[in-house]
Amino acid sequence: MGLIERLLGLVFGGGRNAVAETAEVFRVNAEAQAQRGHDLQSAALSQFAQEFRVVRRGWFDRLMDALNRVPRPAMALGTLGLFVSAMVDPVWFGARMAGIALVPEPLWWLLAAIVSFYFGARHQAKGQEFQREIAATMATVPQVMQTVREVEALRHAAPVEVTPRPGTADITETAELAEVNPALEAWRGKG
């Protein structure tokens, strides 16, 4: 017995497990790997939460957003207005278009650059806002999945029969008692 105890103490003694340590040389410890994966995912989600957190915006930011929404509808409505003005007063429209024909080509290039930068920046800002919304939605996925599992579990649950306790009144008896209300009868008599 002492020999076996010494041999097991040699292999597993000193708070070590020589078999597990040797096996980990050839195969990754699944529990430690899962813990590392969990830590990595938690750190990534924490970083995303910091990056995409919702910030309360003041009146100035809201005003600037409102002003940023003006150019696109103004350009669309202005173009439609040009079509209408061409039909209503062709002479007036022709005079304005003749004036536009005098604009030098470099100024047209500058206008094109400004408009394209405006729409490009707007597209990028909206894209980042969309990514923040997606990140917030993805953060709620585990809660939604848990709720779905709970609801699905209810589908397979057997219905529970309710038996009245001894000494409790039947529903019809309770309804008949509820109809006799002295205060209500007195009020009806005054009307």
Side-chain angles (χ1 to χ4, degrees), residues 1-13:
M1 189 74 160
L3 180 62
I4 294 174
E5 184 177 340
R6 275 192 238 144
L7 204 91
L8 289 175
L10 180 67
V11 173
F12 298 108

Side-chain angles (χ1 to χ4, degrees), residues 160-184:
V160 179
E161 288 189 31
V162 178
T163 56
R165 293 183 303 203
T168 58
D170 189 15
I171 293 175
T172 56
E173 293 173 9
T174 306
E176 291 171 1
L177 291 175
E179 289 180 0
V180 179
N181 185 340
L184 185 59

Side-chain angles (χ1 to χ4, degrees), residues 15-79:
R16 295 179 46 212
N17 188 341
V19 174
E21 290 174 4
T22 304
E24 286 178 0
V25 170
F26 300 104
R27 186 177 184 283
V28 176
N29 183 334
E31 185 176 346
Q33 180 72 17
Q35 183 62 41
R36 285 189 296 269
H38 172 73
D39 293 343
L40 178 66
Q41 188 174 17
S42 295
L45 286 175
S46 176
Q47 179 184 356
F48 284 146
Q50 287 296 323
E51 186 175 342
F52 294 114
R53 71 174 191 263
V54 177
V55 179
R56 295 263 182 202
R57 296 163 35 156
W59 67 269
F60 181 76
D61 290 331
R62 291 194 305 266
L63 175 69
M64 287 297 112
D65 278 345
L67 290 176
N68 278 333
R69 291 187 179 129
V70 170
R72 283 188 292 174
M75 284 190 278
L77 293 174
T79 303

Side-chain angles (χ1 to χ4, degrees), residues 122-138:
R122 188 76 178 155
H123 175 71
Q124 182 179 2
K126 288 297 181 182
Q128 289 173 346
E129 184 178 330
F130 177 71
Q131 288 176 350
R132 279 192 294 273
E133 290 174 4
I134 291 294
T137 301
M138 292 304 292

